[in-house]
Amino acid sequence: MAELSALTTSGPVPRAAPSIPPSSPPLPAPNVSAPESPGENSIAKSSLCNDNAADTPAARAGDVSLSLQPVSAPPALPSDTPVTFLGHDPASQREASGKDPEPRAHVIKQEMEPAEPARAAPWMAETETPLLASAASHQSEERPTSPEFKSGPNLYPDVHVTHNPRAGVDVGQLPAGQPQVINTSNPTSGSLDSSDAAEEGKPRPLEQAQQPQAQLPPPPDTPNEARKAELPLTPTRAEQPSPTIPLIHEPAYSVPLPNPNPRPAPDTLSYLESASLMSGTLESLSGLGDDGSSIGSDSEINGLTVRRTDRYGFLGGSQYSDSSEKETRVEVARQREVKWLDMFRHWDKWIKHRFQKVKLRCRKGIPSSLRSRAWQLLSNSQELLEANPGKFEELEREPGEAKWLDIIEKDLHRQFPFHEMFAARGGHGQQDLFRILKAYTIYRPDEGYCQAQAPVAAVLLMHMPAEQAFWCLVQIC
Amino acid sequence: MAYAYLFKYIIIGDTGVGKSCLLLQFTDKRFQPVHDLTIGVEFGARMITIDGKQIKLQIWDTAGQESFRSITRSYYRGAAGALLVYDITRRDTFNHLTTWLEDARQHSNSNMVIMLIGNKSDLESRREVKKEEGEAFAREHGLIFMETSAKTASNVEEAFINTAKEIYEKIQEGVFDINNEANGIKIGPQHPTTNSTLSGSQGGQHAGGGCC
């Protein structure tokens, strides 16, 4: 009987007007015409979060690797089999970056595949808290290769694209091995992906993976200039080692695309590391906190059914998105990335002359790997960032006004408490959130802090470092 | 589900006093120590029975921060009841009650029943506002008063149900014009369209109607 539904919650709220997203069902005009049964009007929370992130390679890559399993994973693979982890399972990367990385990583991957969300349900229930599990496994050299292994939090848990150029099988849907667009020396087989063509009426050559060059031995460690040039320029945090780099032993021709998710893994990594090191965090995770506050105790994960994160990093709560929702095909996602990268290269021209097209592409969903860059360009915050070197640090050094700090602090643990980045009290996510919200109150003292800024800031932080997120926030607010 | 009446409530009070937790405890009978900030407005609903009648409570939970005041103000109109919540462990939330009350009185219909709630009564050790102070404030301003704990569920049902009883009594007394939905009261779809409810209280009859 009881119904509880969110009306206008995590999305950004225009301050002047009632915060009703246009897509909302009849929101109670707060008078006579209030709906009778609120429960029927539930609205997706957080449009920022649950938007078209599905349109990313991350969304599909897991499926692809699954479909490849029978052919690309014979147990007796030659040890030089290139293995490409386009996605970032932090745990598997640590694993893989150990000695003898490639075959081992490959094997692990195979073992992990059953951990596809739908099938994983039975064992997930008995998995320990993912954060704890990962923190613990980080300490030990010996990590389990059982499916539980994959239950570690991961912003993009499903991305494991394996590329085996020697497989020589029909892998039409193998994305990693397909030189796209850039590889002009290799005439396309003429097969156009119909969905790509349909998508924007602008077909692009799409190579098929079964082409002869797939048999060539991979040029070891050939620097791929195209690739480098296209890597998103978003700086990663200084303290984050880039665990992806040692793993990329792919042939130069194989993936002209940037790693689709260059940032989330480092984020997750450093977050987990910090979680395991930070005093109080583990305590909070295991529910040992002694704070009996009614509004939020330290036992943050208490009462939460422990499960792996969804593709956005949510462990649960109302924002948790089911893996069953419609996902964009990986080829489409890749095409989108290529198109976005092309726009980045000529951004000013695109904005000036083809703005409608940019808008259209935004509405189709910015590939999540490129959102950081895209948001900074779209909001023009990058310019602000470059024009104000050191300004953020300067703002951080200032003490800030107590009345704002007080409210901000009260809100830190109430912002996406079921997101892996923000779940731990005093964790990196909450710290960064505090930093940028506080900096904003100093930057614009007349405005101070509005609670609706917190979800916006948090979503920005899911995609970019604090300083970039701050300038983005400044531009958005 | 059929109901005899629908009452619209609004929950107001400073940020972090436990408004959303009270709502969750009442509608879902659970306490969630962490939850998202309330941005703008959320709502919940639950059916209760008073005098043998099914009554649906439709509860609007508002954001407490000052910046949302202009939004929450628009929700007073058309509310039959308001829960004005403060946190017994934070005196400032008690001190702000007057501004909240002014706001509520100014933007609601004059018959709106206001219940003053001192929440977090489980945190006795951190109490900053005495129960007597809450009672005095309620007396002074003509409110009903209750201390609750959304965590232990203590008095939560009572707070919502007593408010509903008060509204119901006012209906019986004919204070509310139930045909004017601006009062925050709506007659249920299955309810006989007679207006006999205003003066006569033939409860059993209507309860029968509400059940099918």
Side-chain angles (χ1 to χ4, degrees):
Chain A
M1 193 57 252
E3 313 158 284
L4 185 64
S5 57
L7 262 184
T8 59
T9 51
S10 310
V13 178
R15 260 173 271 173
S19 57
I20 297 157
S23 59
S24 299
L27 197 77
N31 52 25
V32 250
S33 58
E36 289 179 20
S37 26
E40 290 154 21
N41 293 331
S42 60
I43 296 167
K45 278 189 132 183
S46 176
S47 53
L48 256 180
C49 265
N50 292 337
D51 61 4
N52 281 332
D55 305 348
T56 65
R60 290 286 301 179
D63 296 348
V64 172
S65 69
L66 261 183
S67 69
L68 290 177
Q69 184 177 5
V71 288
S72 66
L77 276 173
S79 64
D80 60 342
T81 304
V83 177
T84 307
F85 275 73
L86 284 176
H88 303 274
D89 184 321
S92 67
Q93 284 181 1
R94 285 194 294 271
E95 186 78 44
S97 58
K99 53 178 180 176
D100 195 12
E102 292 170 358
R104 180 134 167 74
H106 197 91
V107 170
I108 286 164
K109 184 193 161 301
Q110 296 312 321
E111 287 171 351
M112 285 183 328
E113 283 181 356
E116 198 58 14
R119 302 184 214 170
W123 53 262
M124 270 175 350
E126 53 193 283
T127 312
E128 55 180 325
T129 307
L131 291 174
L132 279 177
S134 305
S137 70
H138 178 60
Q139 307 291 338
S140 90
E141 266 316 295
E142 214 178 296
R143 274 175 291 276
T145 49
S146 65
E148 281 94 326
F149 173 71
K150 208 190 169 190
S151 71
N154 182 342
L155 279 176
Y156 299 89
D158 293 337
V159 187
H160 300 282
V161 178
T162 303
H163 170 53
N164 179 0
R166 295 188 173 190
V169 288
D170 184 339
V171 276
Q173 65 289 56
L174 178 65
Q178 297 175 3
Q180 298 174 8
V181 185
I182 288 158
N183 190 347
T184 48
S185 67
N186 201 352
T188 168
S189 58
S191 90
L192 281 180
D193 186 295
S194 58
S195 70
D196 289 328
E199 195 197 0
E200 289 202 72
K202 198 168 138 191
R204 289 170 179 272
L206 190 66
E207 319 288 317
Q208 295 301 310
Q210 64 266 51
Q211 286 184 355
Q213 92 278 11
Q215 305 290 340
L216 295 172
D221 295 325
T222 307
N224 183 334
E225 287 183 12
R227 203 190 136 74
K228 263 189 188 168
E230 287 168 5
L231 274 171
L233 300 182
T234 313
T236 52
R237 294 175 201 201
E239 75 263 32
Q240 290 157 359
S242 179
T244 62
I245 289 167
L247 286 170
I248 302 173
H249 299 295
E250 62 199 52
Y253 56 79
S254 70
V255 184
L257 289 173
N259 192 325
N261 294 300
R263 280 202 34 81
D267 250 355
T268 311
L269 255 187
S270 78
Y271 172 68
L272 289 175
E273 282 162 4
S274 71
S276 69
L277 296 174
M278 207 172 305
S279 68
T281 304
L282 285 178
E283 187 188 24
S284 76
L285 289 175
S286 54
L288 296 176
D290 60 353
D291 176 1
S293 160
S294 284
I295 196 68
S297 75
D298 276 347
S299 50
E300 298 192 13
I301 308 295
N302 264 4
L304 165 67
T305 315
V306 173
R307 53 184 161 179
R308 53 179 290 168
T309 63
D310 67 3
R311 76 171 71 94
Y312 309 108
F314 284 99
L315 300 150
S318 48
Q319 289 96 356
Y320 188 85
S321 53
D322 238 327
S323 51
S324 60
E325 66 185 61
K326 188 183 161 287
E327 292 170 351
T328 308
R329 294 193 24 226
V330 73
E331 298 89 344
V332 176
R334 297 214 155 242
Q335 283 300 313
R336 286 190 182 155
E337 285 188 323
V338 171
K339 288 171 184 172
W340 273 93
L341 288 168
D342 179 59
M343 288 201 294
F344 288 165
R345 275 191 294 273
H346 312 284
W347 186 254
D348 291 341
K349 281 183 194 154
W350 274 90
I351 290 297
K352 210 182 260 175
H353 304 299
R354 304 194 63 190
F355 184 71
Q356 287 307 318
K357 192 79 176 172
V358 176
K359 196 166 150 186
L360 186 74
R361 286 179 177 175
C362 284
R363 293 184 173 178
K364 283 180 175 168
I366 304 172
S368 71
S369 55
L370 304 176
R371 283 182 187 184
S372 169
R373 185 96 196 279
W375 290 354
Q376 290 182 66
L377 286 169
L378 287 165
S379 70
N380 220 12
S381 73
Q382 195 162 313
E383 210 169 88
L384 212 53
L385 171 77
E386 284 156 11
N388 291 283
K391 178 75 179 170
F392 181 64
E393 285 79 18
E394 188 188 308
L395 293 169
E396 280 206 283
R397 278 195 297 273
E398 294 196 28
E401 233 184 294
K403 68 166 179 179
W404 297 129
L405 302 190
D406 191 44
I407 313 181
I408 294 173
E409 271 167 16
K410 279 200 185 77
D411 287 349
L412 291 179
H413 73 286
R414 296 199 281 166
Q415 189 50 60
F416 298 137
F418 297 114
H419 189 276
E420 59 176 354
M421 204 173 147
F422 299 97
R425 217 169 242 230
H428 265 202
Q430 293 192 11
Q431 282 179 15
D432 283 352
L433 191 57
F434 180 78
R435 289 168 64 203
I436 67 175
L437 292 175
K438 183 196 120 185
Y440 188 90
T441 65
I442 298 161
Y443 187 70
R444 292 196 178 139
D446 47 324
E447 293 179 21
Y449 164 65
C450 169
Q451 283 180 320
Q453 288 175 318
V456 179
V459 169
L460 291 172
L461 282 171
M462 289 177 199
H463 290 84
M464 58 186 86
E467 185 175 9
Q468 277 79 0
F470 169 74
W471 291 111
C472 236
L473 185 72
V474 165
Q475 286 295 76
I476 293 170
C477 290
Chain B
M1 190 186 279
Y3 54 83
Y5 294 108
L6 182 145
F7 295 165
K8 186 181 153 190
Y9 279 18
I10 180 172
I11 312 183
I12 50 175
D14 274 10
T15 181
V17 296
K19 297 182 292 295
S20 303
C21 288
L22 280 169
L23 176 61
L24 191 69
Q25 182 59 260
F26 180 66
T27 58
D28 282 25
K29 294 187 166 45
R30 64 193 169 97
F31 174 70
Q32 202 175 339
V34 285
H35 55 85
D36 283 322
L37 279 169
T38 307
I39 306 294
V41 180
E42 297 191 20
F43 63 40
R46 200 186 122 181
M47 205 73 97
I48 59 169
T49 309
I50 291 176
D51 195 16
K53 287 198 175 70
Q54 292 283 305
I55 291 176
K56 181 167 185 169
L57 298 185
Q58 184 188 89
I59 305 148
W60 296 90
D61 173 26
T62 62
Q65 205 198 357
E66 179 71 38
S67 8
F68 293 96
R69 212 56 71 84
S70 57
I71 295 172
T72 54
R73 265 182 206 131
S74 58
Y75 286 86
Y76 287 117
R77 218 154 67 85
L83 305 189
L84 172 53
V85 188
Y86 69 92
D87 176 354
I88 64 155
T89 68
R90 278 163 55 208
R91 176 156 291 276
D92 54 324
T93 66
F94 181 77
N95 294 340
H96 295 153
L97 286 179
T98 35
T99 53
W100 279 110
L101 203 57
E102 272 168 29
D103 239 30
R105 291 257 152 88
Q106 195 180 336
H107 296 92
S108 66
N109 75 73
S110 53
N111 292 319
M112 184 169 81
V113 174
I114 303 176
M115 157 82 78
L116 178 66
I117 290 180
N119 193 32
K120 309 196 188 179
S121 63
D122 54 296
L123 300 178
E124 195 54 51
S125 58
R126 282 162 47 187
R127 178 189 284 274
E128 286 182 9
V129 184
K130 287 198 200 105
K131 191 174 181 183
E132 293 72 32
E133 294 176 83
E135 284 167 344
F137 185 92
R139 242 193 334 270
E140 194 181 323
H141 295 90
L143 317 172
I144 334 171
F145 175 70
M146 213 167 245
E147 283 201 345
T148 63
S149 164
K151 191 177 189 179
T152 67
S154 150
N155 271 345
V156 174
E157 293 266 324
E158 291 82 350
F160 284 89
I161 291 174
N162 288 356
T163 310
K165 279 182 183 158
E166 182 99 356
I167 297 168
Y168 185 76
E169 277 166 24
K170 282 195 173 182
I171 294 174
Q172 302 301 315
E173 291 162 11
V175 175
F176 275 121
D177 174 10
I178 53 172
N179 293 314
N180 180 357
E181 289 187 1
N183 283 329
I185 298 164
K186 210 171 160 184
I187 306 175
Q190 309 292 320
H191 197 270
T193 45
T194 61
N195 288 334
S196 61
T197 44
L198 275 175
S199 46
S201 57
Q202 294 119 358
Q205 216 178 311
H206 296 309
C211 286
C212 14

